Structure formats: structure tokens, C-alpha cells
Amino acid sequence: MVKKKLGAKKPKRAELGRIRDRITFIYLEHAKLNRQDSAIQVVDQRGIVNIPSAMLAVLMLGPGVDVTHRAMELMGQSGLGVVWVGEQGVRQYAYGRPLSHSSTLLEAQAALVSNRKKRIAVARTMYRMRFPDEDVSQYSMQELRGKEGSRVRKIYQQQSQETGVPWKRRVYNPDNFEASSPINKALTAAHQALYGLSHAVICALGASPGLGFVHTGHDLSFVYDFADLYKASVSIPVAFEVTAKSADDPDIASKTRLAMRDKFVETKLLAQMVADLKTLLGVADKVPEATVMQLWDDKLGLQKFGVQYHENEDELV
């Protein structure tokens, strides 16, 4: 007797929502996650909710979350980014298979990061995307870092003046989140939400989170590079706005996370990230949706995959 497999069939690629059209992220804690057909079933003390996995970009899992193997299987099939968020702001990343099965972005990224001139050019492009009013076409990496540090400090001071939130400097101890000031807690929570979304977009489109242009040597180097594009306009302002209203709230991190989610929706950041990533890596607007497997040849160029070439070996001699 053949045992019938329970649950919905593995979704086809055409059935999965594009990353730019998905809900940015949902945060869960103290809950049990299982699979119900093509939805992630969330059970906590308040009841049961089924969340369509193909419509999410990032699932943030906090303390007290139990996940079944079937639920993780569905997340992987749906290309859903999964971010495990621990106490005190310490987090570990995990993600499913990219939505795009094409290596177009990855190959472009590897080519750019492996060439000194092209790598500096990308770093300059990232700076111009943040601060378009400054000509950095001749700047070295050292000069770019110096300029960026100066501009970011000014942004912190500007936000402090606009919101009335006192500001000294950025302090973050991953081993003692509660020791930080309210604004530093809010900044940590805001940046972490931005890192999670950046990581999901990079992986969903098939690029590498580890091949950074400014940051290097870490498996999330490019995540930090990419997220930096949006800190001045998204996470820093949100952190200061939340702190101005909720500085004495012990749950300021949660309030910041909710404010970031609202900001993501308001600014349509997910769609912007998709477009920016393709532009940054110099890839045409359309990354192939279908899997196109080819064979590389140093003389003949790309060759068809699936051909029995040994049958024609006499012609190659």
C-alpha cells in the first residue's frame, strides 16, 4: 500500500509571489509553527493563524518559537527568508532556496567584486545613492569611508535636533542589549529589521550575502553594504521618532520594529530594494525567471546542457 503524502504539493515557481510584491516581514515569539497546506500555521495562547508563506519576504522568529520540519520545508520551497532573533538583539540568519534559480546576479556580483577598479566603482555608486549631491568619482576607498562617517554623524545630529532626542554616540553591545540608552536600543532594533529585509532580497534574487564591496570577510558582508543604502532615510529617522515618543517604554525595541514595518510599506522599500540591487550589480531589469542550465567552454562559449557530446567527439578533434 502506497502511503499518500499529506499537505499541498510543492508550489510551482509561477505560483510564488515576486519578492517585490510580498509583505515585508512578520515577527513572532512564544508560538508553535507548523504547516497547513501552503500556509504556515501559527499557534499561541491567543489562537491559530494561517499565514500564506508565498506572500512573505521575511519571517522573524523571536524567543520561545518552536518550528516543525514541515514548516521549515515550506519556507524553503517558498523562498522565504527566516531570521532567528534572540534575546538582547543577538541574531542568527537562515534562509531558503532563492526565488530566482538563475545565477545572473551572482555572476555579475562575483565579476565586480573580483576586479579592483570595478569594486571601487560600485562602492562609489553606493555612496552616490545615499548622498547624490557630492561628486566622489575620484575618491579612494579610504576617502569614501571618511566622507561616509562624517555624513552619518551629521545625520544623527540632525535627527537629534529635529526630534529632541539627546544624542552622544552610537553604542551597541551585543552581549548586553539592556545596557544601551533608549535611542541606541531603537537604532539596534531598526537596523536589525533593515538587515533582515536586505538579506531576504539579496538571497531571493540569487545574489551572495557574503560578497561585499565595502565590508568584507563576513558571510553577511554584502547585507551590511546593501542595508547601509537605506539607513539615513529609513532606520535612523524611525529610531529617533520612536524614541521621541517612547523613550521610557521598556519594550521600545518592539515599538521600533512595528514602526519599521510600517515604514517599509509606506515607502514601498521592498520594490525599491529589488530595483536598486539589479542596478547596483549592472544587471538588466529582468533576471531570468526560469532555470537555464548551460555548459561553459573556453573556446566555444556557452553550450547546451543535456546533450551527449561524446557522440560528436570525432567532430571536435
Side-chain angles (χ1 to χ4, degrees):
M1 181 177 178
V2 179
K3 187 176 180 181
K4 187 178 180 180
K5 190 174 182 179
L6 299 177
K9 294 181 180 179
K10 180 179 178 179
K12 296 180 180 179
R13 291 182 49 73
E15 298 172 341
L16 296 175
R18 296 183 304 173
I19 186 69
R20 70 172 69 206
D21 298 327
R22 295 186 175 204
I23 300 170
T24 53
F25 75 90
I26 289 180
Y27 172 81
L28 299 170
E29 64 179 24
H30 302 293
K32 294 184 181 296
L33 274 59
N34 205 335
R35 175 177 182 169
Q36 180 63 46
D37 295 328
S38 294
I40 299 168
Q41 186 178 80
V42 183
V43 182
D44 66 8
Q45 58 184 2
R46 295 169 295 180
I48 300 175
V49 175
N50 291 328
I51 305 172
S53 63
M55 294 311 297
L56 275 177
V58 187
L59 191 62
M60 300 179 73
L61 306 181
V65 172
D66 292 331
V67 187
T68 66
H69 184 277
R70 292 282 286 156
M72 289 302 301
E73 177 187 37
L74 178 60
M75 295 174 198
Q77 291 172 353
S78 304
L80 171 61
V82 182
V83 183
W84 293 87
V85 185
E87 293 181 349
Q88 301 177 340
V90 179
R91 57 168 42 187
Q92 178 182 354
Y93 295 83
Y95 56 91
R97 187 176 184 180
L99 281 174
S100 171
H101 291 184
S102 166
S103 62
T104 301
L105 275 175
L106 181 59
E107 290 176 7
Q109 182 184 9
L112 291 170
V113 81
S114 302
N115 182 286
R116 180 177 175 275
K117 290 183 178 180
K118 291 180 179 179
R119 184 170 184 171
I120 293 176
V122 173
R124 290 170 182 157
T125 299
M126 288 193 291
Y127 186 94
R128 283 195 299 269
M129 291 173 72
R130 282 170 282 178
F131 312 115
D133 58 335
E134 190 166 352
D135 181 12
V136 296
S137 58
Q138 302 301 317
Y139 282 15
S140 65
M141 290 299 294
Q142 184 177 3
E143 289 170 326
L144 283 174
R145 289 194 299 270
K147 285 288 183 180
E148 180 184 13
S150 176
R151 293 294 289 266
V152 171
R153 284 192 294 272
K154 288 180 180 178
I155 290 170
Y156 281 133
Q157 292 296 339
Q158 179 184 356
Q159 289 295 321
S160 176
Q161 293 171 6
E162 291 180 0
T163 61
V165 175
W167 174 255
K168 291 184 179 179
R169 62 191 179 93
R170 179 76 173 111
V171 179
Y172 170 53
N173 181 356
D175 297 322
N176 193 355
F177 178 77
E178 295 301 326
S180 299
S181 63
I183 180 57
N184 274 292
K185 288 181 182 178
L187 283 167
T188 296
H191 291 338
Q192 286 177 344
L194 188 59
Y195 292 149
L197 190 60
S198 300
H199 187 248
V201 170
I202 290 168
C203 293
L205 293 181
S208 168
L211 293 181
F213 294 89
V214 177
H215 296 85
T216 190
H218 192 277
D219 64 331
L220 298 174
S221 294
F222 189 49
V223 173
Y224 299 137
D225 280 357
F226 194 57
D228 278 350
L229 299 179
Y230 312 101
K231 285 183 178 179
S233 59
V234 179
S235 57
I236 294 176
V238 166
F240 274 89
E241 290 167 8
V242 172
T243 305
K245 299 175 183 177
S246 310
D248 297 327
D249 194 321
D251 202 16
I252 192 171
S254 178
K255 287 185 177 295
T256 303
R257 193 163 49 243
L258 292 174
M260 284 293 289
R261 187 180 63 187
D262 292 342
K263 191 71 171 180
F264 290 162
V265 174
E266 174 192 332
T267 59
K268 298 181 179 178
L269 186 61
L270 196 58
Q272 185 63 50
M273 281 183 164
V274 172
D276 287 346
L277 183 60
K278 293 178 181 179
T279 299
L280 195 62
L281 298 182
V283 175
D285 184 56
K286 259 196 171 181
V287 173
E289 293 278 339
T291 302
V292 180
M293 183 79 77
Q294 295 174 312
L295 302 176
W296 179 82
D297 189 284
D298 61 332
K299 296 179 180 178
L300 303 177
L302 297 179
Q303 301 294 296
K304 280 188 177 182
F305 172 73
V307 175
Q308 293 292 336
Y309 284 99
H310 71 86
E311 295 176 0
N312 303 320
E313 61 185 3
D314 292 337
E315 298 177 11
L316 301 177
V317 176

